[in-house]
């Protein structure tokens, strides 16, 4: 399973339970984003807390998606995560979807035939692709998990040995729902919004461990905004051009808008144009705040950082080592594994926000 768990809620626990039920899997491995996420935002609680939540909720082994996978546009996120899942010899890939009955395999095959005009600024690349796909199939992919499902199938078709992909229906709440509509399930967005507004209703929609974690220290873009503004005020245009995602002269707009902005929300609204989605801009802003250069986010060979496991997961870890998979269980004071430097660098900033070390001396969470 590929996941963010931001935070881990009842819907995720249901999904993990269903994954074991429909696949009869010997072991359930979760490839989970670390402290920074696909939509260009910090996780509300850190990767260690979310790992513990996942292990309590049916996961057997939690492996971290490195930042050069986790902080990408949907098609690159899916491509990197699917490749990592395949390399650890996964038979199935299970994920939530708003419309699991869609024939994503056919949609992905049709998409490969589409040629796009990348010189136009009237739509984002993804917007152009899905508009063209709608013209061919009359199927409108617009919900977040359906778009990810499509990208998982698209990436899976390129594998030498494709996995069996199994989308599972989301219940009561869609990914983007910002309010509580059901009695047991709610979106991560609604849960985060309620918690940040000090509305305890969110506790009805999360397991006990998540509720405990969410009553502690939280992280949001409000915490990261001063770091971003400092970088924009002090970095030169040439320095900004080296940052991943900074292209087409947007560095001039960044430098113009930053001094006048009093919050990240105001800054993002002032920065928005037709060419770029909010999530694209958030990813760019995150790359600037974390000082992630273009070469740090491209062409990296993934390392499998183990965040936690139970007895079944421990047994499977031994098999991964037999397969010569680059497994990383801990990071020492004087060493930083090849393929993990970018994630380590980003985690140092997250550690500044939480005042908690994220890597050195941290061992996998064990639930035996």
């Amino acid at each position: 399973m590929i996941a963010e768990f931001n935070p881990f809620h009842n819907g995720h626990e249901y999904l993990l339970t269903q994954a074991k039920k429909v696949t009869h899997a010997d072991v359930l491995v979760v490839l989970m984003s670390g402290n920074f996420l696909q939509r260009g935002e910090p996780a509300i609680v850190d990767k260690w807390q979310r790992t513990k939540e996942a292990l309590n909720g049916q996961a057997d082994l939690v492996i971290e998606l490195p930042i050069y996978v986790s902080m990408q546009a949907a098609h690159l996120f899916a491509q990197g995560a699917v490749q990592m899942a395949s390399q650890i010899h996964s038979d199935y890939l299970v994920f939530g979807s708003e419309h699991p009955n869609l024939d994503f395999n056919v949609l992905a095959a049709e998409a490969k035939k589409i040629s796009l005009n990348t010189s136009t600024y009237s739509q984002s690349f993804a917007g152009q692709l899905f508009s063209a796909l709608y013209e061919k199939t009359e199927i409108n992919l617009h919900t977040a998990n359906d778009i990810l499902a499509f990208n998982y199938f698209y990436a899976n078709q390129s594998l030498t040995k494709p996995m069996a992909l199994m989308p599972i229906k989301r219940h009561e709440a869609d990914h983007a729902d910002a309010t509580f509509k059901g009695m047991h399930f709610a979106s991560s967005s609604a849960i985060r919004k309620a918690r940040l507004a000090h509305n305890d209703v969110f506790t009805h929609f999360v397991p006990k461990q998540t509720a405990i974690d969410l009553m502690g220290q939280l992280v949001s873009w409000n915490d990261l905004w001063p770091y971003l503004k400092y970088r924009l005020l002090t970095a030169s245009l040439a320095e900004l051009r080296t940052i991943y995602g900074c292209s087409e002269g947007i560095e001039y707009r960044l430098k113009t808008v930053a001094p006048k902005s009093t919050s990240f929300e105001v800054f993002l609204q002032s920065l928005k144009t037709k060419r770029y989605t909010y999530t694209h801009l958030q990813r760019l802003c995150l790359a600037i705040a974390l000082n992630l250069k273009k070469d740090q986010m491209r062409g990296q060979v993934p390392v499998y950082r183990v965040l936690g496991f139970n007895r079944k997961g421990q047994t499977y870890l031994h098999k991964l080592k037999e397969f010569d998979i680059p497994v990383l269980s801990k990071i020492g004071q004087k060493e930083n594994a090849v393929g993990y430097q970018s994630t380590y660098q980003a985690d140092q900033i997250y550690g500044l926000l939480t005042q908690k070390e994220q890597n050195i001396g941290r061992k996998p969470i064990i639930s035996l």
Side-chain angles (χ1 to χ4, degrees):
M1 183 176 295
I2 299 163
E4 290 187 327
F5 298 154
N6 187 40
F8 187 86
H9 54 60
N10 293 346
H12 294 135
E13 189 167 46
Y14 169 81
L15 185 59
L16 289 169
T17 301
Q18 289 298 111
K20 286 190 170 182
K21 182 178 179 181
V22 300
T23 64
H24 305 288
D26 297 317
V27 60
L28 176 53
V29 181
V30 176
L31 296 173
M32 187 187 78
S33 298
N35 288 323
F36 297 97
L37 309 177
Q38 192 267 328
R39 297 176 67 83
E41 57 191 354
I44 193 168
V45 295
D46 74 31
K47 60 188 179 184
W48 302 104
Q49 292 169 291
R50 286 157 39 237
T51 293
K52 185 175 182 180
E53 294 163 8
L55 291 172
N56 286 349
Q58 299 291 320
D60 296 317
L61 172 62
V62 181
I63 292 173
E64 181 178 11
L65 289 174
I67 197 162
Y68 45 81
V69 174
S70 72
M71 207 183 85
Q72 296 282 11
H75 66 293
L76 295 175
F77 173 88
Q79 182 184 77
V82 165
Q83 287 176 349
M84 287 184 68
S86 174
Q87 286 169 3
I88 59 171
H89 299 266
S90 302
D91 295 309
Y92 298 92
L93 180 62
V94 182
F95 44 87
S97 170
E98 287 86 0
H99 303 96
N101 293 327
L102 289 175
D103 195 333
F104 290 106
N105 244 334
V106 170
L107 289 173
E110 288 296 324
K112 291 178 185 289
K113 304 173 186 176
I114 294 173
S115 178
L116 298 176
N117 178 13
T118 56
S119 64
T120 178
Y121 287 7
S122 61
Q123 272 185 310
S124 67
F125 177 83
Q128 289 185 62
L129 175 62
F130 292 132
S131 293
L133 193 59
Y134 178 76
E135 290 180 8
K136 294 191 69 163
T137 65
E138 295 188 350
I139 294 175
N140 184 15
L141 292 174
H142 64 279
T143 58
N145 285 284
D146 282 350
I147 290 171
L148 267 180
F150 163 82
N151 282 293
Y152 291 150
F153 275 89
Y154 191 98
N156 192 56
Q157 288 180 1
S158 300
L159 296 176
T160 303
K161 184 183 177 182
M163 296 173 287
L165 270 55
M166 305 187 72
I168 292 177
K169 173 71 176 175
R170 289 177 64 96
H171 285 281
E172 294 183 4
D174 288 342
H175 174 84
D177 284 345
T179 57
F180 297 100
K181 296 180 178 180
M183 297 295 292
H184 189 65
F185 299 109
S187 72
S188 295
S189 300
I191 292 166
R192 291 194 303 271
K193 183 179 178 181
R195 174 59 189 92
L196 292 171
H198 305 286
N199 182 351
D200 289 348
V201 69
F202 78 87
T203 59
H204 299 295
F205 301 91
V206 298
K208 183 179 179 180
Q209 184 61 51
T210 303
I212 292 170
D213 291 339
L214 289 178
M215 296 310 291
Q217 184 179 15
L218 308 179
V219 177
S220 72
W221 251 115
N222 289 336
D223 303 296
L224 201 54
W225 164 242
Y227 294 82
L228 173 63
K229 189 169 185 177
Y230 167 77
R231 289 273 297 135
L232 290 172
L233 292 176
T234 58
S236 67
L237 291 169
E239 287 175 316
L240 288 177
R241 291 187 196 107
T242 68
I243 297 297
Y244 183 68
C246 191
S247 60
E248 299 168 349
I250 196 172
E251 64 271 18
Y252 293 96
R253 189 172 179 83
L254 289 163
K255 293 284 283 185
T256 300
V257 172
K260 299 177 287 186
S261 300
T262 56
S263 68
F264 181 66
E265 184 178 5
V266 169
F267 174 71
L268 204 60
Q269 289 173 350
S270 302
L271 197 61
K272 180 76 173 74
T273 66
K274 285 184 178 180
R275 174 61 173 167
Y276 300 111
T277 63
Y278 277 113
T279 51
H280 177 96
L281 292 173
Q282 282 194 167
R283 281 192 294 270
L284 171 58
C285 290
L286 194 50
I288 294 168
L290 302 177
N291 197 27
L292 291 170
K293 308 295 177 63
K294 292 173 182 176
D295 62 346
Q296 292 179 281
M297 297 290 284
R298 295 173 178 162
Q300 300 286 333
V301 177
V303 62
Y304 290 75
R305 175 76 191 277
V306 180
L307 297 178
F309 53 83
N310 60 18
R311 198 171 299 281
K312 285 184 178 180
Q314 186 179 44
T315 300
Y316 196 66
L317 269 178
H318 294 315
K319 288 187 178 181
L320 292 184
K321 292 175 182 177
E322 292 173 7
F323 295 145
D324 203 26
I325 303 294
V327 174
L328 180 64
S329 295
K330 62 181 179 179
I331 294 177
Q333 189 76 41
K334 297 181 180 180
E335 61 184 9
N336 198 337
V338 173
Y340 199 74
Q341 293 95 331
S342 302
T343 305
Y344 178 82
Q345 175 180 315
D347 278 349
Q348 287 182 300
I349 305 302
Y350 197 93
L352 288 176
L353 301 178
T354 63
Q355 294 299 301
K356 294 178 182 176
E357 173 58 47
Q358 292 296 306
N359 287 299
I360 295 176
R362 298 296 295 262
K363 297 179 180 179
I365 293 172
I366 301 174
S367 177
L368 299 179

